Coordinates of all heavy atoms in Angstrom, one line a residue:
T195 N 32.3 -5.4 -21.1 CA 30.9 -5.4 -21.5 C 30.7 -6.2 -22.8 O 29.8 -7.0 -22.8 CB 30.5 -3.9 -21.7 OG1 30.6 -3.2 -20.5 CG2 29.1 -3.8 -22.3
H196 N 31.6 -6.0 -23.7 CA 31.4 -6.7 -25.0 C 31.7 -8.2 -24.8 O 31.1 -9.0 -25.6 CB 32.3 -6.2 -26.1 CG 33.8 -6.4 -25.9 ND1 34.5 -5.5 -25.1 CD2 34.6 -7.4 -26.3 CE1 35.8 -6.0 -25.1 NE2 35.8 -7.1 -25.8
L197 N 32.4 -8.6 -23.8 CA 32.7 -10.0 -23.6 C 31.5 -10.8 -23.2 O 31.2 -11.9 -23.6 CB 33.8 -10.2 -22.6 CG 35.2 -9.7 -23.0 CD1 36.2 -9.9 -21.9 CD2 35.7 -10.5 -24.3
R198 N 30.6 -10.2 -22.3 CA 29.4 -10.8 -21.9 C 28.4 -10.9 -23.1 O 27.8 -12.0 -23.3 CB 28.7 -10.1 -20.8 CG 27.4 -10.7 -20.3 CD 27.6 -12.0 -19.7 NE 26.3 -12.5 -19.3 CZ 25.9 -13.8 -19.4 NH1 26.8 -14.7 -19.9 NH2 24.7 -14.2 -19.1
G199 N 28.4 -9.9 -23.9 CA 27.5 -9.9 -25.1 C 28.0 -11.0 -26.1 O 27.2 -11.7 -26.7
Y200 N 29.3 -11.1 -26.2 CA 29.9 -12.1 -27.1 C 29.5 -13.5 -26.6 O 29.1 -14.4 -27.4 CB 31.4 -11.9 -27.1 CG 32.1 -13.0 -27.9 CD1 32.2 -12.9 -29.3 CD2 32.7 -14.1 -27.3 CE1 32.8 -13.9 -30.1 CE2 33.3 -15.1 -28.1 CZ 33.4 -15.0 -29.4 OH 34.0 -16.0 -30.2
A201 N 29.6 -13.7 -25.3 CA 29.3 -15.0 -24.7 C 27.8 -15.3 -25.0 O 27.4 -16.5 -25.4 CB 29.5 -15.0 -23.2
L202 N 26.9 -14.4 -24.8 CA 25.5 -14.6 -25.1 C 25.3 -14.9 -26.6 O 24.5 -15.8 -26.9 CB 24.7 -13.3 -24.7 CG 24.6 -13.1 -23.2 CD1 24.1 -11.7 -22.9 CD2 23.7 -14.1 -22.5
N203 N 26.0 -14.2 -27.5 CA 25.9 -14.5 -28.9 C 26.3 -15.9 -29.2 O 25.6 -16.6 -30.0 CB 26.8 -13.5 -29.7 CG 26.0 -12.4 -30.3 OD1 24.8 -12.4 -30.4 ND2 26.7 -11.4 -30.8
T204 N 27.4 -16.3 -28.7 CA 27.9 -17.7 -29.0 C 27.0 -18.8 -28.4 O 27.0 -19.9 -28.9 CB 29.3 -17.9 -28.5 OG1 29.4 -17.7 -27.1 CG2 30.3 -17.0 -29.2
E205 N 26.2 -18.4 -27.3 CA 25.3 -19.3 -26.7 C 23.9 -19.3 -27.5 O 23.0 -20.1 -27.1 CB 25.1 -19.0 -25.3 CG 26.3 -19.3 -24.4 CD 26.2 -18.7 -23.0 OE1 25.2 -18.1 -22.7 OE2 27.2 -18.8 -22.3
G206 N 23.8 -18.5 -28.5 CA 22.6 -18.4 -29.2 C 21.5 -17.6 -28.5 O 20.3 -17.6 -28.9
Q207 N 21.9 -16.8 -27.5 CA 20.9 -16.0 -26.8 C 21.0 -14.6 -27.3 O 21.4 -13.6 -26.7 CB 21.3 -16.0 -25.3 CG 21.2 -17.4 -24.7 CD 21.6 -17.4 -23.2 OE1 21.5 -16.4 -22.5 NE2 22.0 -18.6 -22.7
Y208 N 20.5 -14.5 -28.6 CA 20.7 -13.2 -29.3 C 19.9 -12.0 -28.8 O 20.4 -10.9 -28.7 CB 20.3 -13.4 -30.8 CG 21.1 -14.6 -31.4 CD1 20.4 -15.7 -31.9 CD2 22.5 -14.6 -31.4 CE1 21.1 -16.8 -32.5 CE2 23.2 -15.7 -31.9 CZ 22.4 -16.8 -32.5 OH 23.1 -17.8 -33.0
A209 N 18.7 -12.2 -28.3 CA 17.9 -11.1 -27.8 C 18.6 -10.6 -26.5 O 18.7 -9.4 -26.3 CB 16.5 -11.6 -27.5
E210 N 19.1 -11.5 -25.7 CA 19.8 -11.1 -24.4 C 21.1 -10.4 -24.8 O 21.4 -9.4 -24.1 CB 20.0 -12.3 -23.6 CG 18.8 -13.0 -23.0 CD 18.2 -14.0 -23.9 OE1 18.6 -14.1 -25.1 OE2 17.2 -14.7 -23.5
A211 N 21.7 -10.9 -25.8 CA 23.0 -10.2 -26.3 C 22.7 -8.8 -26.7 O 23.4 -7.8 -26.3 CB 23.6 -11.0 -27.4
I212 N 21.6 -8.6 -27.4 CA 21.2 -7.2 -27.9 C 21.0 -6.3 -26.7 O 21.5 -5.2 -26.6 CB 20.0 -7.3 -28.8 CG1 20.4 -7.9 -30.2 CG2 19.4 -5.9 -29.0 CD1 19.3 -8.1 -31.1
D213 N 20.2 -6.8 -25.7 CA 19.9 -6.0 -24.5 C 21.2 -5.7 -23.8 O 21.4 -4.5 -23.4 CB 19.0 -6.8 -23.5 CG 17.6 -7.0 -24.0 OD1 17.2 -6.2 -24.9 OD2 16.9 -7.8 -23.5
H214 N 22.1 -6.6 -23.7 CA 23.4 -6.3 -23.0 C 24.3 -5.3 -23.8 O 24.8 -4.4 -23.2 CB 24.2 -7.7 -22.8 CG 25.4 -7.5 -22.0 ND1 25.4 -7.4 -20.6 CD2 26.7 -7.4 -22.3 CE1 26.6 -7.2 -20.2 NE2 27.4 -7.2 -21.2
Y215 N 24.4 -5.6 -25.1 CA 25.2 -4.7 -25.9 C 24.6 -3.2 -25.9 O 25.3 -2.3 -25.8 CB 25.2 -5.2 -27.3 CG 26.2 -6.3 -27.6 CD1 25.8 -7.4 -28.3 CD2 27.6 -6.1 -27.2 CE1 26.8 -8.4 -28.5 CE2 28.5 -7.1 -27.5 CZ 28.1 -8.3 -28.2 OH 29.0 -9.3 -28.4
Q216 N 23.3 -3.1 -26.0 CA 22.7 -1.8 -26.0 C 22.9 -1.0 -24.7 O 23.2 0.2 -24.7 CB 21.2 -1.9 -26.3 CG 20.9 -2.2 -27.7 CD 19.5 -2.3 -28.1 OE1 18.6 -2.8 -27.3 NE2 19.1 -2.0 -29.3
K217 N 22.9 -1.7 -23.6 CA 23.3 -1.1 -22.3 C 24.8 -0.6 -22.3 O 25.1 0.5 -21.9 CB 23.1 -2.1 -21.1 CG 21.6 -2.3 -20.8 CD 21.5 -3.4 -19.8 CE 20.0 -3.7 -19.6 NZ 19.8 -4.9 -18.7
G218 N 25.6 -1.5 -22.9 CA 27.0 -1.1 -23.0 C 27.3 0.1 -23.9 O 28.1 0.9 -23.7
L219 N 26.4 0.2 -25.0 CA 26.5 1.2 -26.0 C 26.3 2.6 -25.3 O 26.8 3.6 -25.8 CB 25.6 0.9 -27.1 CG 25.9 1.6 -28.4 CD1 27.3 1.2 -28.9 CD2 24.9 1.2 -29.5
T220 N 25.4 2.6 -24.3 CA 25.2 3.9 -23.7 C 26.4 4.4 -23.0 O 26.6 5.7 -22.8 CB 24.0 3.8 -22.6 OG1 24.4 2.9 -21.6 CG2 22.7 3.4 -23.3
Q221 N 27.3 3.5 -22.5 CA 28.5 3.9 -21.9 C 29.7 4.1 -22.8 O 30.6 4.8 -22.6 CB 28.9 2.9 -20.8 CG 27.9 2.8 -19.7 CD 28.2 1.6 -18.8 OE1 29.2 0.9 -18.9 NE2 27.3 1.4 -17.8
A222 N 29.6 3.4 -23.9 CA 30.7 3.4 -24.9 C 30.2 3.4 -26.3 O 30.2 2.4 -27.0 CB 31.6 2.2 -24.7
P223 N 29.6 4.6 -26.8 CA 28.9 4.6 -28.0 C 29.8 4.4 -29.3 O 29.3 4.1 -30.4 CB 28.3 6.0 -28.1 CG 29.1 6.8 -27.1 CD 29.6 5.8 -26.1
Y224 N 31.1 4.4 -29.1 CA 32.0 4.3 -30.2 C 32.8 3.0 -30.1 O 33.9 2.9 -30.8 CB 32.9 5.5 -30.4 CG 32.1 6.8 -30.5 CD1 32.1 7.7 -29.5 CD2 31.4 7.0 -31.7 CE1 31.3 8.9 -29.6 CE2 30.7 8.2 -31.8 CZ 30.7 9.1 -30.8 OH 29.9 10.3 -30.9
D225 N 32.3 2.1 -29.3 CA 33.1 0.8 -29.2 C 32.7 -0.1 -30.3 O 31.6 -0.6 -30.5 CB 32.6 0.1 -27.8 CG 33.5 -1.1 -27.5 OD1 33.7 -2.0 -28.4 OD2 33.9 -1.2 -26.4
I226 N 33.7 -0.4 -31.2 CA 33.5 -1.2 -32.4 C 33.1 -2.6 -32.1 O 32.3 -3.2 -32.8 CB 34.8 -1.1 -33.2 CG1 34.6 -1.7 -34.6 CG2 35.9 -1.9 -32.6 CD1 33.9 -0.8 -35.6
Q227 N 33.5 -3.2 -31.0 CA 33.2 -4.5 -30.6 C 31.7 -4.6 -30.2 O 31.0 -5.6 -30.5 CB 34.1 -5.1 -29.6 CG 35.5 -5.3 -30.1 CD 36.5 -5.7 -29.0 OE1 36.5 -5.1 -27.9 NE2 37.4 -6.6 -29.3
I228 N 31.2 -3.6 -29.5 CA 29.8 -3.6 -29.2 C 28.9 -3.4 -30.4 O 28.0 -4.1 -30.6 CB 29.6 -2.4 -28.1 CG1 30.2 -2.8 -26.8 CG2 28.1 -2.2 -27.9 CD1 30.1 -1.7 -25.7
L229 N 29.3 -2.5 -31.3 CA 28.5 -2.2 -32.5 C 28.5 -3.5 -33.4 O 27.4 -3.9 -33.9 CB 29.1 -1.1 -33.3 CG 29.0 0.3 -32.6 CD1 29.8 1.3 -33.3 CD2 27.5 0.7 -32.6
N230 N 29.6 -4.1 -33.5 CA 29.7 -5.3 -34.3 C 28.9 -6.5 -33.7 O 28.2 -7.2 -34.4 CB 31.2 -5.7 -34.5 CG 31.3 -6.7 -35.7 OD1 30.8 -6.5 -36.8 ND2 32.1 -7.8 -35.4
G231 N 29.0 -6.6 -32.4 CA 28.3 -7.6 -31.7 C 26.8 -7.4 -31.8 O 26.0 -8.4 -32.0
L232 N 26.3 -6.2 -31.7 CA 24.9 -5.9 -31.9 C 24.5 -6.2 -33.3 O 23.4 -6.8 -33.4 CB 24.7 -4.3 -31.7 CG 24.3 -3.9 -30.3 CD1 24.4 -2.4 -30.2 CD2 22.9 -4.3 -30.0
A233 N 25.3 -5.9 -34.2 CA 24.9 -6.2 -35.6 C 24.8 -7.8 -35.8 O 23.8 -8.2 -36.4 CB 25.9 -5.7 -36.6
I234 N 25.7 -8.5 -35.3 CA 25.7 -10.0 -35.4 C 24.5 -10.6 -34.7 O 23.8 -11.4 -35.3 CB 27.0 -10.6 -34.9 CG1 28.2 -10.2 -35.8 CG2 26.9 -12.1 -34.7 CD1 29.5 -10.5 -35.2
A235 N 24.2 -10.1 -33.5 CA 23.0 -10.6 -32.8 C 21.7 -10.3 -33.5 O 20.8 -11.1 -33.7 CB 23.0 -10.0 -31.4
A236 N 21.6 -9.1 -34.0 CA 20.4 -8.7 -34.8 C 20.3 -9.5 -36.1 O 19.2 -10.0 -36.4 CB 20.5 -7.2 -35.1
Q237 N 21.4 -9.7 -36.8 CA 21.4 -10.5 -38.0 C 20.9 -12.0 -37.7 O 20.1 -12.5 -38.4 CB 22.8 -10.6 -38.6 CG 22.8 -11.4 -39.9 CD 24.2 -11.3 -40.6 OE1 25.0 -10.5 -40.2 NE2 24.4 -12.1 -41.6
N238 N 21.4 -12.5 -36.6 CA 21.0 -13.9 -36.2 C 19.5 -14.0 -35.8 O 18.9 -15.1 -35.9 CB 21.9 -14.4 -35.1 CG 23.3 -14.7 -35.5 OD1 23.4 -15.2 -36.7 ND2 24.3 -14.5 -34.7
L239 N 18.9 -12.9 -35.4 CA 17.5 -12.8 -35.1 C 16.7 -12.5 -36.3 O 15.4 -12.4 -36.2 CB 17.2 -11.8 -34.0 CG 17.5 -12.3 -32.6 CD1 17.3 -11.2 -31.6 CD2 16.7 -13.5 -32.2
G240 N 17.3 -12.2 -37.4 CA 16.6 -11.9 -38.7 C 16.2 -10.4 -38.7 O 15.4 -10.0 -39.6
K241 N 16.8 -9.6 -37.8 CA 16.5 -8.2 -37.8 C 17.5 -7.5 -38.7 O 18.5 -6.9 -38.3 CB 16.6 -7.6 -36.4 CG 15.5 -8.2 -35.5 CD 15.6 -7.6 -34.1 CE 14.5 -8.2 -33.2 NZ 14.4 -7.5 -32.0
I242 N 17.3 -7.6 -40.0 CA 18.2 -7.2 -41.1 C 18.5 -5.7 -41.0 O 19.6 -5.2 -41.1 CB 17.7 -7.6 -42.5 CG1 17.5 -9.2 -42.5 CG2 18.7 -7.2 -43.5 CD1 18.7 -10.0 -42.1
S243 N 17.4 -4.9 -40.9 CA 17.6 -3.4 -40.9 C 18.4 -3.0 -39.7 O 19.3 -2.1 -39.8 CB 16.2 -2.8 -40.9 OG 16.3 -1.4 -40.8
M244 N 18.1 -3.6 -38.5 CA 18.8 -3.2 -37.3 C 20.3 -3.6 -37.5 O 21.2 -2.9 -37.1 CB 18.2 -4.0 -36.1 CG 18.9 -3.7 -34.8 SD 18.1 -4.8 -33.5 CE 18.6 -3.9 -32.1
A245 N 20.5 -4.8 -38.0 CA 21.9 -5.3 -38.2 C 22.7 -4.3 -39.1 O 23.8 -4.0 -38.8 CB 21.9 -6.7 -38.8
E246 N 22.0 -3.9 -40.2 CA 22.7 -3.1 -41.1 C 23.0 -1.7 -40.5 O 24.1 -1.2 -40.7 CB 21.8 -2.8 -42.4 CG 22.5 -2.0 -43.5 CD 21.7 -2.0 -44.7 OE1 20.5 -2.3 -44.7 OE2 22.3 -1.6 -45.7
T247 N 22.1 -1.2 -39.7 CA 22.4 0.1 -39.0 C 23.6 0.0 -38.1 O 24.5 0.9 -38.2 CB 21.2 0.4 -38.1 OG1 20.0 0.6 -38.9 CG2 21.4 1.7 -37.3
Y248 N 23.8 -1.1 -37.4 CA 24.9 -1.2 -36.5 C 26.2 -1.5 -37.3 O 27.3 -1.0 -36.9 CB 24.7 -2.2 -35.4 CG 23.7 -1.7 -34.3 CD1 22.5 -2.3 -34.1 CD2 24.1 -0.6 -33.6 CE1 21.6 -1.7 -33.2 CE2 23.2 -0.1 -32.6 CZ 22.0 -0.6 -32.4 OH 21.1 -0.1 -31.5
Y249 N 26.1 -2.3 -38.3 CA 27.3 -2.5 -39.2 C 27.8 -1.2 -39.8 O 29.0 -1.0 -39.8 CB 27.0 -3.5 -40.3 CG 27.1 -5.0 -39.9 CD1 26.1 -5.9 -40.3 CD2 28.2 -5.5 -39.2 CE1 26.1 -7.2 -39.9 CE2 28.3 -6.8 -38.9 CZ 27.2 -7.7 -39.2 OH 27.3 -9.0 -38.9
K250 N 26.8 -0.4 -40.2 CA 27.2 0.9 -40.8 C 27.8 1.8 -39.8 O 28.8 2.5 -40.1 CB 26.0 1.5 -41.5 CG 25.7 0.8 -42.8 CD 24.5 1.5 -43.5 CE 24.3 0.9 -44.9 NZ 23.1 1.5 -45.6
K251 N 27.3 1.8 -38.6 CA 27.9 2.6 -37.5 C 29.4 2.2 -37.3 O 30.3 3.0 -37.1 CB 27.1 2.6 -36.3 CG 25.8 3.4 -36.3 CD 25.1 3.3 -35.0 CE 23.8 4.1 -35.2 NZ 23.1 4.3 -33.9
A252 N 29.6 0.9 -37.3 CA 30.9 0.3 -37.1 C 31.8 0.7 -38.2 O 33.0 1.1 -38.0 CB 30.8 -1.2 -36.9
L253 N 31.3 0.6 -39.4 CA 32.0 1.0 -40.6 C 32.5 2.4 -40.6 O 33.5 2.8 -41.1 CB 31.3 0.6 -41.9 CG 32.0 0.6 -43.2 CD1 33.2 -0.4 -43.2 CD2 31.0 0.3 -44.3
D254 N 31.6 3.3 -40.0 CA 31.9 4.7 -39.9 C 33.2 4.9 -39.1 O 33.9 5.9 -39.2 CB 30.8 5.5 -39.3 CG 29.7 5.7 -40.4 OD1 29.9 5.5 -41.6 OD2 28.5 6.1 -39.9
L255 N 33.4 4.0 -38.1 CA 34.5 4.1 -37.2 C 35.8 3.5 -37.7 O 36.9 4.0 -37.4 CB 34.2 3.5 -35.8 CG 33.0 4.1 -35.1 CD1 32.7 3.3 -33.8 CD2 33.3 5.6 -34.7
I256 N 35.6 2.5 -38.5 CA 36.8 1.8 -39.0 C 36.5 1.1 -40.4 O 35.4 0.5 -40.5 CB 37.3 0.7 -38.0 CG1 38.6 0.0 -38.5 CG2 36.3 -0.4 -37.7 CD1 39.3 -0.8 -37.5
D257 N 37.3 1.4 -41.3 CA 37.0 0.8 -42.6 C 37.5 -0.6 -42.6 O 38.7 -0.9 -42.6 CB 37.8 1.7 -43.7 CG 37.4 1.2 -45.1 OD1 36.5 0.4 -45.3 OD2 38.0 1.7 -46.1
S258 N 36.6 -1.5 -42.7 CA 36.9 -3.0 -42.5 C 36.3 -3.8 -43.7 O 35.1 -3.7 -43.9 CB 36.4 -3.5 -41.2 OG 36.4 -4.9 -41.1
A259 N 37.1 -4.6 -44.3 CA 36.6 -5.5 -45.3 C 35.6 -6.5 -44.8 O 34.6 -6.8 -45.4 CB 37.8 -6.2 -46.0
D260 N 35.8 -6.9 -43.5 CA 34.9 -7.8 -42.9 C 33.5 -7.2 -42.7 O 32.5 -7.9 -42.9 CB 35.4 -8.3 -41.5 CG 36.6 -9.2 -41.7 OD1 36.8 -9.8 -42.7 OD2 37.4 -9.3 -40.7
I261 N 33.5 -6.0 -42.3 CA 32.2 -5.3 -42.0 C 31.5 -5.0 -43.4 O 30.3 -5.2 -43.5 CB 32.4 -4.0 -41.3 CG1 32.9 -4.3 -39.8 CG2 31.1 -3.2 -41.2 CD1 33.3 -3.0 -39.1
R262 N 32.3 -4.6 -44.4 CA 31.7 -4.5 -45.7 C 31.1 -5.8 -46.2 O 30.0 -5.8 -46.8 CB 32.8 -3.9 -46.7 CG 33.2 -2.5 -46.4 CD 34.1 -2.0 -47.5 NE 34.6 -0.7 -47.2 CZ 33.9 0.4 -47.4 NH1 32.7 0.4 -47.9 NH2 34.4 1.6 -47.0
A263 N 31.8 -6.9 -46.0 CA 31.3 -8.2 -46.4 C 30.0 -8.5 -45.7 O 29.1 -9.1 -46.3 CB 32.4 -9.3 -46.2
A264 N 30.0 -8.2 -44.4 CA 28.8 -8.5 -43.6 C 27.6 -7.7 -44.1 O 26.4 -8.2 -44.2 CB 29.0 -8.2 -42.1
I265 N 27.8 -6.4 -44.5 CA 26.7 -5.6 -45.1 C 26.3 -6.2 -46.4 O 25.1 -6.2 -46.7 CB 27.2 -4.1 -45.2 CG1 27.4 -3.5 -43.8 CG2 26.2 -3.3 -46.0 CD1 28.0 -2.1 -43.8
E266 N 27.2 -6.6 -47.2 CA 26.8 -7.2 -48.5 C 26.0 -8.5 -48.3 O 25.0 -8.8 -49.0 CB 28.0 -7.5 -49.3 CG 27.7 -8.1 -50.7 CD 26.9 -7.1 -51.6 OE1 26.9 -5.9 -51.4 OE2 26.1 -7.7 -52.4
E267 N 26.4 -9.3 -47.3 CA 25.7 -10.5 -46.9 C 24.2 -10.2 -46.5 O 23.3 -10.9 -46.9 CB 26.4 -11.3 -45.8 CG 25.7 -12.6 -45.5 CD 26.4 -13.3 -44.3 OE1 27.5 -13.0 -44.0 OE2 25.7 -14.2 -43.8
L268 N 24.1 -9.1 -45.8 CA 22.7 -8.7 -45.4 C 21.9 -8.3 -46.6 O 20.7 -8.6 -46.7 CB 22.8 -7.5 -44.4 CG 23.3 -7.7 -43.0 CD1 23.3 -6.4 -42.3 CD2 22.4 -8.7 -42.3
R269 N 22.5 -7.6 -47.5 CA 21.8 -7.2 -48.8 C 21.3 -8.5 -49.5 O 20.2 -8.5 -50.1 CB 22.7 -6.3 -49.6 CG 22.8 -5.0 -49.0 CD 23.5 -4.0 -49.9 NE 23.7 -2.7 -49.2 CZ 24.8 -2.1 -49.1 NH1 25.9 -2.5 -49.7 NH2 24.9 -0.9 -48.5
L270 N 22.2 -9.5 -49.6 CA 21.8 -10.7 -50.3 C 20.7 -11.5 -49.5 O 19.8 -12.0 -50.2 CB 23.0 -11.6 -50.4 CG 24.1 -11.1 -51.3 CD1 25.4 -12.1 -51.3 CD2 23.6 -11.0 -52.8
I271 N 20.7 -11.5 -48.2 CA 19.6 -12.1 -47.4 C 18.3 -11.3 -47.7 O 17.3 -12.0 -47.9 CB 20.0 -12.0 -45.9 CG1 21.1 -13.0 -45.6 CG2 18.8 -12.4 -45.1 CD1 21.7 -12.8 -44.2
Q272 N 18.4 -10.0 -47.7 CA 17.2 -9.2 -48.0 C 16.7 -9.5 -49.4 O 15.5 -9.6 -49.6 CB 17.5 -7.7 -47.8 CG 16.3 -6.8 -47.9 CD 15.3 -7.1 -46.8 OE1 15.6 -7.4 -45.6 NE2 14.0 -7.0 -47.1
L273 N 17.5 -9.5 -50.4 CA 17.1 -9.8 -51.7 C 16.5 -11.1 -51.9 O 15.4 -11.3 -52.5 CB 18.3 -9.7 -52.7 CG 18.1 -9.9 -54.1 CD1 17.1 -8.9 -54.7 CD2 19.4 -9.9 -54.9
D274 N 17.1 -12.2 -51.2 CA 16.5 -13.5 -51.3 C 15.1 -13.5 -50.6 O 14.2 -14.1 -51.1 CB 17.4 -14.5 -50.5 CG 16.9 -15.9 -50.6 OD1 16.7 -16.4 -51.7 OD2 16.7 -16.5 -49.5
F275 N 15.0 -12.8 -49.5 CA 13.7 -12.7 -48.8 C 12.6 -12.1 -49.7 O 11.5 -12.6 -49.8 CB 13.9 -12.0 -47.5 CG 12.6 -11.8 -46.8 CD1 12.0 -12.8 -46.0 CD2 12.0 -10.5 -46.7 CE1 10.8 -12.6 -45.3 CE2 10.8 -10.3 -46.0 CZ 10.2 -11.4 -45.3
E276 N 13.0 -11.0 -50.4 CA 12.1 -10.3 -51.2 C 11.7 -11.2 -52.4 O 10.5 -11.2 -52.8 CB 12.7 -9.0 -51.7 CG 12.7 -8.0 -50.6 CD 13.6 -6.7 -50.9 OE1 14.1 -6.6 -52.1 OE2 13.7 -5.9 -50.1
Q277 N 12.6 -11.9 -53.0 CA 12.3 -12.8 -54.1 C 11.3 -13.9 -53.7 O 10.4 -14.3 -54.4 CB 13.6 -13.4 -54.7 CG 14.4 -12.4 -55.4 CD 15.7 -12.9 -55.9 OE1 16.2 -14.0 -55.4 NE2 16.4 -12.2 -56.8
R278 N 11.5 -14.4 -52.5 CA 10.6 -15.5 -52.0 C 9.2 -14.9 -51.8 O 8.2 -15.6 -52.0 CB 11.2 -16.1 -50.7 CG 12.4 -16.9 -50.9 CD 12.9 -17.4 -49.6 NE 14.2 -18.0 -49.8 CZ 14.6 -19.1 -49.2 NH1 13.8 -19.7 -48.3 NH2 15.8 -19.6 -49.4
L279 N 9.1 -13.7 -51.3 CA 7.8 -13.1 -51.1 C 7.1 -12.9 -52.4 O 5.9 -13.1 -52.5 CB 7.9 -11.7 -50.4 CG 8.1 -11.7 -48.9 CD1 8.3 -10.3 -48.4 CD2 7.0 -12.4 -48.2
N280 N 7.8 -12.5 -53.5 CA 7.2 -12.3 -54.8 C 6.8 -13.6 -55.5 O 6.0 -13.6 -56.4 CB 8.2 -11.5 -55.7 CG 8.4 -10.1 -55.2 OD1 7.5 -9.5 -54.6 ND2 9.5 -9.5 -55.4
Q281 N 7.4 -14.7 -55.1 CA 7.0 -16.0 -55.6 C 5.7 -16.5 -55.1 O 5.0 -17.2 -55.8 CB 8.1 -17.0 -55.4 CG 9.4 -16.8 -56.1 CD 10.4 -17.8 -55.8 OE1 10.3 -18.6 -54.9 NE2 11.6 -17.8 -56.5
D282 N 5.3 -16.0 -54.0 CA 4.0 -16.5 -53.3 C 2.8 -15.8 -53.9 O 2.6 -15.0 -54.4 CB 4.1 -16.4 -51.8 CG 5.1 -17.3 -51.2 OD1 5.5 -18.3 -51.8 OD2 5.6 -17.0 -50.1

């Protein structure tokens, strides 16, 4: 399941990847690869809150420096976005 989602992500078909991963999540709610793939696809679509939710779920399952770094990157993206809004 996660392999098809991964392929969609690498092809830039992020919305389709999310749909595929979410279907897989119903069958394997604790699959770290599905959770991480969902987070990556959401991040690539600019769905920061959704991405953070899935990264945090993945982090609950496994303590990973990579996942912590991804969450920090999301926070920086969000901060940059908010600063740009305040400039206008």
Side-chain angles (χ1 to χ4, degrees):
T195 297
H196 68 275
L197 293 177
R198 178 68 180 139
Y200 176 81
L202 291 166
N203 259 346
T204 58
E205 294 169 0
Q207 297 177 24
Y208 306 120
E210 293 87 350
I212 288 173
D213 289 342
H214 186 77
Y215 280 129
Q216 286 178 328
K217 290 175 186 171
L219 202 58
T220 62
Q221 297 172 3
Y224 303 108
D225 187 315
I226 191 79
Q227 292 174 319
I228 291 174
L229 292 167
N230 197 48
L232 265 166
I234 291 168
Q237 181 176 351
N238 285 327
L239 282 177
K241 296 182 177 190
I242 303 303
S243 179
M244 179 185 201
E246 186 173 14
T247 296
Y248 287 115
Y249 277 132
K250 285 182 176 180
K251 286 182 180 188
L253 192 59
D254 285 344
L255 297 175
I256 184 169
D257 190 8
S258 165
D260 289 339
I261 295 172
R262 289 184 186 281
I265 291 171
E266 184 58 31
E267 182 180 344
L268 288 177
R269 290 188 181 130
L270 293 174
I271 291 168
Q272 186 65 34
L273 180 62
D274 181 58
F275 176 75
E276 289 169 3
Q277 288 175 342
R278 289 176 191 222
L279 281 178
N280 290 332
Q281 288 177 355
D282 293 337

